[in-house]
Amino acid sequence: MNQNENSQANYFIIDSSSSIEHNDVDFKYYSYQNHNNNQLHKGDLIIYRRSGSASEWGNEFYLYGVGKFGEVVRQDPATGNDIVTIEQPYLFSHRLMKQNLRTFDWTFRKFKGKWSNFFNMNGITQINEHDYMGLLARQKNMVSEPKLSDAEELLAVKCYQAEKNELYFINDEAKGVKTYNAVQKFFADKVKFNYHYKSAVAGPVDEDDLVVARIVPWEANKKIRLDPRNGISFTKMLAEAFTAGYFTFNDKGHIVISDVAAPDAETNKLLNKYKNRKIHMNYQYSPNKEYLEYHREHIFQK
C-alpha cells in the first residue's frame, strides 16, 4: 500500500466493531455519521482500532490494520449513516497492543501514561502523518516474515475476513497467487493473539522466540487451513518438538510425552520439565479436539 500517494490525505485512527449489524465490515465497509461529523473524506488514510468494549482480549484495545477511505456506496435508511468502501486494505503483521505502544513517540497528542480519553469518544481520532507512519513501522518491525507482494497482502486480508465468517478452506493457489505466505501472515498473528502473545506451555517468553505450530499440517487438510484452533503458540524448540511428534496433548490439554526420545538431550530435558503441564489459554480459543486427535494418531511418535 502506497501511503504517500495522496499528499492531501488526513490520517485517522477509527474504532470498528466489525459488526454486520452496524454495517461495519473490517477492510471492506465502514458506517459513518457523515451528517453529524464531517471529518473523514475520500482519500483519507485510517488505522483500525478495536476498542476495549469490543475487544476479544479482556477489555484491551488494539490496532490491527489500515486502509483508505473510499466512495460512499449507499446510505443506511435506519440510521442515515453513509456506508463507505475501504480501499487498499492492509492487515498488520502484529496487532499493536497497549504494551507495544507504551514507548511509542506520539506527536499528535501528548501521552501522559494513561489511555483513558487518549482516543476520542466518538471513535474517530485524527492523528498526523508522523504517527501514522510510525505505527506502520512499529508493527512491521515486531515480526520477521518474508516480504509479500501486493496480491499476497490483499489475500492476507481476505483470509482475515474469511476466518471472521468461519470459512477455513483455502487452496494452494488463489487466482494464480501462492497462498501459504499470505495465510501464514494472518494465521500466525491470530494464534499468537489468542494466546496473548505467550507460549501455551512456557507462558510469558521473549516474543522473538515465539512461533506458531499447526496441529494438523498444512498439506494434510485444506479445509481447516484458516482455523486458528488448528494452531498453538510455542517457543521455537517446543514447536519443533510438537511438529516432529515428540509430544502431544490429550483432550483436556495436558502434555503427553512420547516414549520415543528426541535426537538431542536439550529437547528431552525441556519436555520432561513440562511433563503433564496443561495448556495455558482462553477456553474460547482452545485447540479443536478433532485436530488434537489427528495429531495423536498421525504425528505423535509411539
Side-chain angles (χ1 to χ4, degrees), residues 3-220:
Q3 310 301 339
N4 299 311
E5 66 180 12
N6 185 355
S7 60
Q8 303 302 312
N10 291 309
Y11 303 86
F12 296 88
I13 293 176
I14 63 168
D15 290 358
S16 174
S17 61
S18 189
S19 167
I20 298 294
E21 179 183 337
H22 296 103
N23 290 303
D24 280 339
V25 180
D26 283 345
F27 304 108
K28 190 173 184 180
Y29 298 117
Y30 181 68
S31 176
Y32 178 52
Q33 294 179 336
N34 193 37
H35 302 293
N36 298 327
N37 191 340
N38 193 27
Q39 283 181 277
L40 288 159
H41 301 90
K42 182 180 177 182
D44 287 342
L45 299 173
I46 61 172
I47 292 179
Y48 276 107
R49 185 179 90 112
R50 187 81 77 234
S51 67
S53 61
S55 175
E56 312 94 309
W57 226 50
N59 218 30
E60 181 175 334
F61 79 82
Y62 59 89
L63 310 179
Y64 58 100
V66 304
K68 185 168 78 170
F69 224 56
E71 300 280 356
V72 176
V73 291
R74 65 184 178 88
Q75 194 173 73
D76 185 341
T79 64
N81 290 359
D82 288 341
I83 310 302
V84 182
T85 58
I86 300 300
E87 301 173 353
Q88 300 182 18
Y90 171 82
L91 180 69
F92 276 3
S93 300
H94 187 299
R95 287 164 175 80
L96 293 178
M97 315 301 296
K98 285 181 181 179
Q99 68 262 32
N100 309 132
L101 295 171
R102 294 193 190 283
T103 60
F104 185 74
D105 182 24
W106 298 96
T107 58
F108 87 98
R109 180 178 292 168
K110 184 175 178 59
F111 179 61
K112 299 179 180 179
K114 294 185 178 180
W115 292 107
S116 54
N117 301 320
F118 184 73
F119 300 104
N120 294 344
M121 295 295 291
N122 70 349
I124 302 172
T125 303
Q126 186 165 1
I127 60 175
N128 55 37
E129 183 180 11
H130 174 275
D131 291 350
Y132 180 90
M133 298 302 293
L135 290 167
L136 275 177
R138 175 150 298 199
Q139 59 85 29
K140 265 195 166 301
N141 292 338
M142 293 191 69
V143 295
S144 176
E145 62 182 13
K147 180 175 175 57
L148 302 188
S149 66
D150 290 345
E152 287 174 315
E153 291 288 7
L154 182 57
L155 185 57
V157 170
K158 291 184 180 298
C159 291
Y160 170 96
Q161 293 169 330
E163 187 273 332
K164 282 282 184 187
N165 292 300
E166 299 183 356
L167 301 172
Y168 304 135
F169 172 88
I170 192 164
N171 235 320
D172 292 337
E173 288 190 16
K175 296 183 179 179
V177 178
K178 296 285 187 183
T179 60
Y180 182 81
N181 286 340
V183 172
Q184 194 62 14
K185 174 181 179 175
F186 150 74
F187 185 80
D189 189 57
K190 175 62 176 175
V191 174
K192 290 177 186 177
F193 170 78
N194 288 348
Y195 284 84
H196 286 209
Y197 295 98
K198 299 176 184 178
S199 165
V201 174
V205 296
D206 188 325
E207 267 200 57
D208 289 340
D209 192 36
L210 204 61
V211 296
V212 169
R214 288 180 180 272
I215 303 169
V216 178
W218 167 269
E219 64 275 4

Side-chain angles (χ1 to χ4, degrees), residues 246-261:
Y246 293 116
F247 76 97
T248 191
F249 294 94
N250 64 25
D251 282 346
K252 293 185 178 180
H254 291 281
I255 286 181
V256 180
I257 308 296
S258 173
D259 291 333
V260 179

Side-chain angles (χ1 to χ4, degrees), residues 261-281:
D264 63 291
E266 190 177 358
T267 297
N268 292 318
K269 182 179 178 180
L270 184 66
L271 293 178
N272 284 326
K273 175 183 176 180
Y274 294 120
K275 190 174 183 178
N276 296 321
R277 181 73 63 89
K278 189 174 183 180
I279 201 168
H280 298 293
M281 79 164 312

